[in-house]
Amino acid sequence: MKRVIADVEEKLRAGEYKLTSRREHILRVLLENKDKHLSAEEVYNLVKKRAPDVGLATVYRTLELFLLFDIIHSIDFGDGRKRYEFCSSGTDGHHHHHLICTRCGKIIEVNEDLLEDLETRVSKEHDFKIENHQLKIFGTCRECTEKINK
């Protein structure tokens, strides 16, 4: 975690920003919850436990700053709330994909590039440089399906 924090600090410094203690608290919450897709309010509630003086506005501003520097990215899973997750290094600009249960809200990550062939074909056909894509598949998870079938 220390290496990632140092990398983020360096990235911010290159853009003439500082990794303040409040920003570091927010970063640590995101890193400690890498496997989750936290909303700004959820980040705020987790940060509040360790740094009670951090306000919700600070969390929002910091998340926007982290987005600007590609430290995190945001996703809307169809519920009208932005969710944030830490950007993994070595992904060549591609993010993993998500399966979203419309019953319980569970989010399952799919860590393979399901759109690579389509992306290549579309790029060539339309002379379009694709920088990124997201795939969200909505349906019913195994647990909810089992409950329905009982």
Side-chain angles (χ1 to χ4, degrees):
M1 185 183 292
K2 287 181 183 181
R3 181 73 226 150
V4 175
I5 292 171
D7 290 346
V8 168
E9 186 171 20
E10 187 178 312
K11 206 177 228 191
L12 290 176
R13 192 175 299 130
E16 299 184 9
Y17 287 90
K18 292 180 181 177
L19 183 62
T20 63
S21 62
R22 290 177 178 170
R23 289 176 182 159
E24 186 173 336
H25 286 303
I26 294 165
L27 178 61
R28 285 181 181 277
V29 162
L30 292 167
L31 288 170
E32 290 165 3
N33 293 279
K34 268 201 256 192
D35 59 332
K36 297 181 181 145
H37 303 86
L38 300 173
S39 68
E41 293 79 12
E42 290 168 328
V43 172
Y44 169 72
N45 288 331
L46 291 169
V47 169
K48 221 41 192 159
K49 291 177 183 176
R50 66 174 74 195
D53 62 323
V54 176
L56 183 57
T58 300
V59 170
Y60 274 108
R61 283 191 305 271
T62 301
L63 292 172
E64 288 303 314
L65 180 67
F66 288 174
L67 282 169
L68 181 67
F69 282 90
D70 291 323
I71 296 163
I72 60 172
H73 61 265
S74 66
I75 306 165
D76 182 343
F77 290 116
D79 61 358
R81 291 172 55 184
K82 270 188 185 178
R83 310 276 178 162
Y84 301 90
E85 60 184 3
F86 195 77
C87 291
S88 301
S89 58
T91 58
D92 284 337
H94 291 126
H95 300 164
H96 50 266
H97 305 299
H98 300 91
L99 306 176
I100 301 129
C101 181
T102 55
R103 291 186 160 276
C104 70
K106 180 178 181 177
I107 300 164
I108 302 165
E109 293 184 357
V110 178
N111 288 312
E112 57 183 286
D113 197 345
L114 304 172
L115 300 177
E116 191 172 343
D117 293 338
L118 175 63
E119 206 175 88
T120 301
R121 195 174 73 241
V122 168
S123 180
K124 287 179 183 176
E125 191 175 310
H126 297 279
D127 193 25
F128 188 80
K129 183 182 180 292
I130 298 172
E131 296 171 1
N132 196 4
H133 66 262
Q134 289 184 0
L135 177 63
K136 297 177 263 187
I137 300 173
F138 297 87
T140 309
C141 71
R142 178 182 303 133
E143 291 83 7
C144 288
T145 300
E146 288 172 1
K147 287 178 190 174
I148 292 168
N149 294 331
K150 282 187 178 181

